[in-house]
Amino acid sequence: MDRFDVAIMEALQADSQRSMQELSERIGLSASACHRRVKALEDAGVIAGYAARLDPVALGLDLHAFVEISLTSQSHEAMDRFEAAVASFPEILECHLMAGQADYLLRVAAADLKGFDDVHRDCLARLPGVSAIRTSFAIRRIRDWRGYRLRGIKAQP
């Protein structure tokens, strides 16, 4: 990756809806060269896809919970069963295998405590091999995730 690739990734993280012409003008390349580079980044899997950022409050999802899960066993089979079950519940927004006290950290959004109770009963309580569930509720979002910091990426001249 060179400085043009890094600039393309930064621009697309900020706004992936800009036209190739706008992107090329911002980067300082021709539209065709910019398009080839974007396609190469997509083909290499560096650009994994495009999506709209939705406002959870506008969707009525005012409650955000971070759920720590500990399993009864950390065997390969137990973890595979748990991860397959997590993948089957769209209410679970994210799931991360952790190092530390909990085995997994999940992120869940709901309209309110009643909605979280439904998620807890219908999803979390049905996950296999769980020995402990610890939930923390977010009080207020301070900063949203807006993309990766790319300034530290080694760009070739």
Side-chain angles (χ1 to χ4, degrees), residues 1-137:
M1 281 187 272
D2 63 13
R3 65 183 177 89
F4 290 113
D5 292 328
V6 171
I8 287 169
M9 291 183 292
E10 285 178 335
L12 289 176
Q13 279 192 129
D15 180 5
S16 65
Q17 279 205 299
R18 64 184 70 206
S19 71
M20 198 56 64
Q21 184 63 40
E22 291 171 320
L23 182 61
S24 67
E25 289 170 5
R26 179 182 171 111
I27 303 306
L29 291 172
S30 70
S32 61
C34 192
H35 185 266
R36 278 192 303 275
R37 286 174 176 266
V38 169
K39 181 75 172 118
L41 290 166
E42 291 170 348
D43 291 345
V46 176
I47 297 176
Y50 301 91
R53 273 193 315 263
L54 305 179
D55 182 345
V57 174
L59 296 171
L61 299 172
D62 294 331
L63 183 76
H64 290 261
F66 297 90
V67 182
E68 294 179 357
I69 302 283
S70 296
L71 299 182
T72 56
S73 168
Q74 286 75 35
S75 72
H76 197 286
E77 296 79 16
M79 294 170 82
D80 284 348
R81 278 192 305 277
F82 177 83
E83 292 170 13
V86 164
S88 72
F89 291 115
E91 296 85 352
I92 299 172
L93 304 177
E94 294 180 44
C95 177
H96 302 269
L97 177 62
M98 304 298 290
Q101 192 170 19
D103 295 312
Y104 291 92
L105 179 66
L106 283 54
R107 187 169 70 89
V108 174
D112 51 24
L113 281 174
K114 163 75 172 89
F116 180 78
D117 182 46
D118 292 341
V119 170
H120 189 276
R121 290 172 183 262
D122 298 337
C123 301
L124 302 177
R126 295 178 184 210
L127 294 171
V130 173
S131 67
I133 298 175
R134 288 172 297 284
T135 303
S136 298
F137 294 102

Side-chain angles (χ1 to χ4, degrees), residues 137-152:
F137 294 102
I139 296 170
R140 175 170 49 100
R141 265 185 306 171
I142 307 302
R143 180 177 180 195
D144 283 327
W145 186 78
R146 296 287 183 182
Y148 293 102
R149 181 173 185 251
L150 299 176
R151 279 186 233 133

